[in-house]
mmCIF file of all heavy atoms in Angstrom:
data_model
loop_
_atom_site.group_PDB
_atom_site.id
_atom_site.type_symbol
_atom_site.label_atom_id
_atom_site.label_comp_id
_atom_site.label_asym_id
_atom_site.label_seq_id
_atom_site.Cartn_x
_atom_site.Cartn_y
_atom_site.Cartn_z
ATOM 1 N N GLN A 311 -32.577 -14.302 5.728
ATOM 2 C CA GLN A 311 -31.274 -14.336 6.363
ATOM 3 C C GLN A 311 -31.214 -13.394 7.562
ATOM 4 O O GLN A 311 -30.629 -13.713 8.600
ATOM 5 C CB GLN A 311 -30.191 -13.966 5.333
ATOM 6 C CG GLN A 311 -28.760 -14.102 5.830
ATOM 7 C CD GLN A 311 -28.379 -15.551 6.046
ATOM 8 O OE1 GLN A 311 -28.963 -16.431 5.434
ATOM 9 N NE2 GLN A 311 -27.440 -15.790 6.941
ATOM 10 N N THR A 312 -31.833 -12.197 7.447
ATOM 11 C CA THR A 312 -31.817 -11.239 8.551
ATOM 12 C C THR A 312 -32.560 -11.773 9.759
ATOM 13 O O THR A 312 -32.106 -11.663 10.900
ATOM 14 C CB THR A 312 -32.442 -9.907 8.093
ATOM 15 O OG1 THR A 312 -31.723 -9.433 6.959
ATOM 16 C CG2 THR A 312 -32.386 -8.872 9.203
ATOM 17 N N VAL A 313 -33.720 -12.357 9.520
ATOM 18 C CA VAL A 313 -34.496 -12.922 10.629
ATOM 19 C C VAL A 313 -33.747 -14.079 11.275
ATOM 20 O O VAL A 313 -33.740 -14.240 12.494
ATOM 21 C CB VAL A 313 -35.883 -13.374 10.118
ATOM 22 C CG1 VAL A 313 -36.628 -14.108 11.210
ATOM 23 C CG2 VAL A 313 -36.670 -12.164 9.661
ATOM 24 N N ALA A 314 -33.090 -14.882 10.446
ATOM 25 C CA ALA A 314 -32.372 -16.031 10.995
ATOM 26 C C ALA A 314 -31.162 -15.600 11.808
ATOM 27 O O ALA A 314 -30.792 -16.253 12.781
ATOM 28 C CB ALA A 314 -31.939 -16.965 9.855
ATOM 29 N N ASP A 315 -30.498 -14.482 11.389
ATOM 30 C CA ASP A 315 -29.294 -14.042 12.086
ATOM 31 C C ASP A 315 -29.571 -13.145 13.283
ATOM 32 O O ASP A 315 -28.668 -12.844 14.057
ATOM 33 C CB ASP A 315 -28.383 -13.273 11.113
ATOM 34 C CG ASP A 315 -27.850 -14.190 10.024
ATOM 35 O OD1 ASP A 315 -27.875 -15.420 10.236
ATOM 36 O OD2 ASP A 315 -27.412 -13.678 8.968
ATOM 37 N N GLN A 316 -30.804 -12.664 13.466
ATOM 38 C CA GLN A 316 -31.106 -11.739 14.567
ATOM 39 C C GLN A 316 -31.080 -12.475 15.892
ATOM 40 O O GLN A 316 -31.748 -13.503 16.054
ATOM 41 C CB GLN A 316 -32.485 -11.115 14.366
ATOM 42 C CG GLN A 316 -32.818 -10.062 15.425
ATOM 43 C CD GLN A 316 -34.155 -9.420 15.143
ATOM 44 O OE1 GLN A 316 -34.823 -9.818 14.208
ATOM 45 N NE2 GLN A 316 -34.526 -8.447 15.941
ATOM 46 N N PRO A 317 -30.293 -12.010 16.882
ATOM 47 C CA PRO A 317 -30.260 -12.709 18.176
ATOM 48 C C PRO A 317 -31.580 -12.587 18.917
ATOM 49 O O PRO A 317 -32.292 -11.590 18.791
ATOM 50 C CB PRO A 317 -29.120 -12.004 18.936
ATOM 51 C CG PRO A 317 -28.988 -10.664 18.272
ATOM 52 C CD PRO A 317 -29.377 -10.873 16.838
ATOM 53 N N VAL A 318 -31.855 -13.581 19.698
ATOM 54 C CA VAL A 318 -33.132 -13.606 20.424
ATOM 55 C C VAL A 318 -33.177 -12.540 21.499
ATOM 56 O O VAL A 318 -34.207 -11.972 21.797
ATOM 57 C CB VAL A 318 -33.353 -15.014 21.022
ATOM 58 C CG1 VAL A 318 -34.665 -15.079 21.795
ATOM 59 C CG2 VAL A 318 -33.330 -16.047 19.920
ATOM 60 N N ALA A 319 -32.003 -12.194 22.106
ATOM 61 C CA ALA A 319 -31.988 -11.245 23.218
ATOM 62 C C ALA A 319 -32.386 -9.848 22.795
ATOM 63 O O ALA A 319 -32.803 -9.045 23.607
ATOM 64 C CB ALA A 319 -30.593 -11.211 23.858
ATOM 65 N N GLU A 320 -32.242 -9.524 21.512
ATOM 66 C CA GLU A 320 -32.576 -8.189 21.060
ATOM 67 C C GLU A 320 -34.068 -7.960 20.934
ATOM 68 O O GLU A 320 -34.515 -6.838 20.770
ATOM 69 C CB GLU A 320 -31.908 -7.909 19.714
ATOM 70 C CG GLU A 320 -30.389 -7.903 19.807
ATOM 71 C CD GLU A 320 -29.759 -7.605 18.460
ATOM 72 O OE1 GLU A 320 -30.526 -7.371 17.505
ATOM 73 O OE2 GLU A 320 -28.525 -7.590 18.354
ATOM 74 N N GLN A 321 -34.851 -9.004 20.959
ATOM 75 C CA GLN A 321 -36.288 -8.848 20.819
ATOM 76 C C GLN A 321 -36.902 -8.535 22.182
ATOM 77 O O GLN A 321 -36.700 -9.295 23.143
ATOM 78 C CB GLN A 321 -36.903 -10.129 20.243
ATOM 79 C CG GLN A 321 -36.342 -10.477 18.877
ATOM 80 C CD GLN A 321 -36.918 -11.761 18.380
ATOM 81 O OE1 GLN A 321 -37.709 -12.390 19.065
ATOM 82 N NE2 GLN A 321 -36.510 -12.152 17.182
ATOM 83 N N PRO A 322 -37.644 -7.409 22.370
ATOM 84 C CA PRO A 322 -38.202 -7.043 23.690
ATOM 85 C C PRO A 322 -39.237 -8.050 24.141
ATOM 86 O O PRO A 322 -40.068 -8.502 23.361
ATOM 87 C CB PRO A 322 -38.830 -5.668 23.444
ATOM 88 C CG PRO A 322 -39.125 -5.646 21.976
ATOM 89 C CD PRO A 322 -38.043 -6.455 21.328
ATOM 90 N N VAL A 323 -39.170 -8.374 25.427
ATOM 91 C CA VAL A 323 -40.115 -9.306 26.034
ATOM 92 C C VAL A 323 -40.826 -8.575 27.162
ATOM 93 O O VAL A 323 -40.170 -7.978 28.044
ATOM 94 C CB VAL A 323 -39.394 -10.566 26.549
ATOM 95 C CG1 VAL A 323 -40.395 -11.527 27.177
ATOM 96 C CG2 VAL A 323 -38.642 -11.239 25.409
ATOM 97 N N ALA A 324 -42.129 -8.581 27.175
ATOM 98 C CA ALA A 324 -42.902 -7.875 28.208
ATOM 99 C C ALA A 324 -42.739 -8.560 29.543
ATOM 100 O O ALA A 324 -42.646 -9.790 29.616
ATOM 101 C CB ALA A 324 -44.376 -7.809 27.813
ATOM 102 N N ASP A 325 -42.730 -7.735 30.627
ATOM 103 C CA ASP A 325 -42.635 -8.274 31.978
ATOM 104 C C ASP A 325 -44.010 -8.790 32.395
ATOM 105 O O ASP A 325 -44.984 -8.048 32.405
ATOM 106 C CB ASP A 325 -42.169 -7.168 32.935
ATOM 107 C CG ASP A 325 -41.880 -7.709 34.325
ATOM 108 O OD1 ASP A 325 -41.951 -8.949 34.506
ATOM 109 O OD2 ASP A 325 -41.599 -6.894 35.216
ATOM 110 N N GLN A 326 -44.045 -10.093 32.721
ATOM 111 C CA GLN A 326 -45.326 -10.708 33.051
ATOM 112 C C GLN A 326 -45.750 -10.435 34.494
ATOM 113 O O GLN A 326 -46.893 -10.639 34.864
ATOM 114 C CB GLN A 326 -45.249 -12.232 32.812
ATOM 115 C CG GLN A 326 -44.877 -12.601 31.394
ATOM 116 C CD GLN A 326 -45.926 -12.155 30.418
ATOM 117 O OE1 GLN A 326 -47.104 -12.078 30.760
ATOM 118 N NE2 GLN A 326 -45.501 -11.818 29.201
ATOM 119 N N SER A 327 -44.802 -9.998 35.378
ATOM 120 C CA SER A 327 -45.152 -9.800 36.791
ATOM 121 C C SER A 327 -45.920 -8.496 37.013
ATOM 122 O O SER A 327 -46.838 -8.421 37.810
ATOM 123 C CB SER A 327 -43.874 -9.811 37.646
ATOM 124 O OG SER A 327 -43.008 -8.773 37.218
ATOM 125 N N THR A 328 -45.542 -7.406 36.316
ATOM 126 C CA THR A 328 -46.203 -6.110 36.492
ATOM 127 C C THR A 328 -46.865 -5.707 35.200
ATOM 128 O O THR A 328 -46.168 -5.518 34.194
ATOM 129 C CB THR A 328 -45.176 -5.035 36.902
ATOM 130 O OG1 THR A 328 -44.501 -5.481 38.061
ATOM 131 C CG2 THR A 328 -45.861 -3.694 37.136
ATOM 132 N N PRO A 329 -48.142 -5.616 35.135
ATOM 133 C CA PRO A 329 -48.799 -5.255 33.866
ATOM 134 C C PRO A 329 -48.467 -3.819 33.482
ATOM 135 O O PRO A 329 -48.384 -2.929 34.318
ATOM 136 C CB PRO A 329 -50.293 -5.424 34.168
ATOM 137 C CG PRO A 329 -50.386 -5.294 35.645
ATOM 138 C CD PRO A 329 -49.127 -5.846 36.214
ATOM 139 N N ALA A 330 -48.243 -3.604 32.200
ATOM 140 C CA ALA A 330 -47.903 -2.273 31.707
ATOM 141 C C ALA A 330 -49.136 -1.379 31.759
ATOM 142 O O ALA A 330 -50.252 -1.823 31.502
ATOM 143 C CB ALA A 330 -47.383 -2.357 30.279
ATOM 144 N N PRO A 331 -48.939 -0.090 32.112
ATOM 145 C CA PRO A 331 -50.108 0.827 32.173
ATOM 146 C C PRO A 331 -50.656 1.089 30.796
ATOM 147 O O PRO A 331 -49.913 1.158 29.816
ATOM 148 C CB PRO A 331 -49.510 2.104 32.793
ATOM 149 C CG PRO A 331 -48.048 2.033 32.461
ATOM 150 C CD PRO A 331 -47.694 0.582 32.508
ATOM 151 N N LEU A 332 -51.943 1.241 30.747
ATOM 152 C CA LEU A 332 -52.610 1.489 29.482
ATOM 153 C C LEU A 332 -52.558 2.980 29.172
ATOM 154 O O LEU A 332 -52.814 3.821 30.038
ATOM 155 C CB LEU A 332 -54.069 1.026 29.553
ATOM 156 C CG LEU A 332 -54.271 -0.476 29.773
ATOM 157 C CD1 LEU A 332 -55.759 -0.790 29.887
ATOM 158 C CD2 LEU A 332 -53.645 -1.248 28.630
ATOM 159 N N ALA A 333 -52.239 3.307 27.923
ATOM 160 C CA ALA A 333 -52.183 4.718 27.533
ATOM 161 C C ALA A 333 -53.603 5.261 27.392
ATOM 162 O O ALA A 333 -54.481 4.572 26.863
ATOM 163 C CB ALA A 333 -51.436 4.870 26.210
ATOM 164 N N PRO A 334 -53.845 6.480 27.871
ATOM 165 C CA PRO A 334 -55.204 7.055 27.751
ATOM 166 C C PRO A 334 -55.557 7.334 26.310
ATOM 167 O O PRO A 334 -54.708 7.727 25.517
ATOM 168 C CB PRO A 334 -55.120 8.353 28.559
ATOM 169 C CG PRO A 334 -53.654 8.697 28.552
ATOM 170 C CD PRO A 334 -52.917 7.396 28.564
ATOM 171 N N ALA A 335 -56.772 7.086 25.980
ATOM 172 C CA ALA A 335 -57.226 7.313 24.611
ATOM 173 C C ALA A 335 -57.404 8.801 24.381
ATOM 174 O O ALA A 335 -57.778 9.544 25.290
ATOM 175 C CB ALA A 335 -58.550 6.600 24.370
ATOM 176 N N PRO A 336 -57.147 9.294 23.175
ATOM 177 C CA PRO A 336 -57.339 10.721 22.881
ATOM 178 C C PRO A 336 -58.806 11.134 23.061
ATOM 179 O O PRO A 336 -59.723 10.396 22.704
ATOM 180 C CB PRO A 336 -56.914 10.850 21.420
ATOM 181 C CG PRO A 336 -56.061 9.641 21.161
ATOM 182 C CD PRO A 336 -56.596 8.575 22.051
ATOM 183 N N ALA A 337 -58.981 12.328 23.621
ATOM 184 C CA ALA A 337 -60.346 12.800 23.886
ATOM 185 C C ALA A 337 -61.092 13.119 22.615
ATOM 186 O O ALA A 337 -62.303 13.039 22.559
ATOM 187 C CB ALA A 337 -60.298 14.054 24.797
#
Side-chain angles (χ1 to χ4, degrees):
Q311 186 69 24
T312 303
V313 173
D315 294 341
Q316 184 177 3
V318 180
E320 296 181 2
Q321 300 177 359
V323 180
D325 187 5
Q326 302 296 330
S327 60
T328 305
L332 297 177

